[in-house]
Amino acid sequence: MPRTRTIPDSQVLAAVRHLLGEGGERAVSFATVAAATGLAPPTLVQRYGSREAMVRAARMAAWDELGNRTTEAISATANKGPQALLKAIGPVDIAAIASDLRDPDLAQRAAAWRATVEAALALRLGTGSKAKEGAALLFAAWQGQALWAAAGDDGFRLKDAVKRLT
C-alpha cells in the first residue's frame, strides 16, 4: 500500500505564493501547485475546496508572516531610526499579496499593516501631525521604491527621503 504523502499547509501556501510571484493568478492551478509540491491535485481540492480559496489562503498566510516580521522588526529597532525599521522589515512583495484588495479581509489586513508601519515610523520621526505626515510619505516612498526596484529601476535612496522628512 502506498504511503500517503503529507506536506504542511505552510509549504503548500509558500508554493502558491511563489507561483503568484512568478506568473500571477493565472500561474496557479491545482495542477501547477501539485507539480510544485508533489501532492496530488485531488488532495489540494480536499484541503482548499477551490483554486480561489487556495489563493486566498496563501495571501492570508503571507499577511500573517508579514505581520509577524513587522512586529519583530519594530521591537528589534525600537531605539533606531526609520531606515533601520524599514530595512529590518525587509523587502515586501506587496503586489503578490495585495493584488486583490476587493476581498474585504485582505483589504483590512493591508490597511492594518500599513497603519502599524506608519505608526512605528511616526514614533521614529518625532511627535505630532508632522511626524504622522512624514511617516505616511516615507511609507509611500518605501513601497514605491520597492515596486520600481522590482521593475529594475534603482530610483532614489530611502535615506535621502528620511533626511528630507526630518
Side-chain angles (χ1 to χ4, degrees):
M1 180 195 280
R3 183 172 169 213
T4 307
R5 182 164 179 170
T6 57
I7 294 177
D9 278 340
S10 60
Q11 286 182 328
V12 174
L13 299 177
V16 172
R17 287 194 311 271
H18 177 76
L19 290 167
L20 285 169
E22 291 290 312
E25 281 201 37
R26 292 178 192 242
V28 179
S29 67
F30 288 124
T32 59
V33 176
T37 62
L39 292 174
T43 301
L44 295 168
V45 173
Q46 276 184 318
R47 279 194 195 187
Y48 302 105
S50 69
R51 186 191 75 80
E52 291 76 18
M54 183 172 60
V55 168
R56 184 177 190 277
R59 287 189 171 129
M60 291 299 273
W63 282 115
D64 289 343
E65 289 176 19
L66 182 56
N68 292 339
R69 196 167 81 210
T70 301
T71 300
E72 291 170 8
I74 290 170
S75 295
T77 62
N79 298 321
K80 297 181 180 176
Q83 268 184 274
L85 170 62
L86 298 177
K87 186 175 181 181
I89 293 172
V92 178
D93 186 3
I94 207 73
I97 62 176
S99 65
D100 189 3
L101 294 180
R102 293 171 293 180
D103 179 321
D105 293 332
L106 291 171
Q108 181 181 15
R109 296 293 296 275
W113 175 72
R114 178 182 176 181
T116 298
V117 174
E118 284 185 6
L121 287 170
L123 287 174
R124 288 158 172 79
L125 292 173
T127 59
S129 63
K130 185 173 180 168
K132 286 182 181 181
E133 289 172 11
L137 289 169
L138 187 55
F139 179 88
W142 176 53
Q143 287 303 294
Q145 181 188 40
L147 175 69
W148 288 108
D153 183 0
D154 290 338
F156 64 94
R157 296 181 312 187
L158 276 177
K159 72 179 185 178
D160 295 335
V162 171
K163 284 180 187 177
R164 291 180 184 181
L165 291 171
T166 55

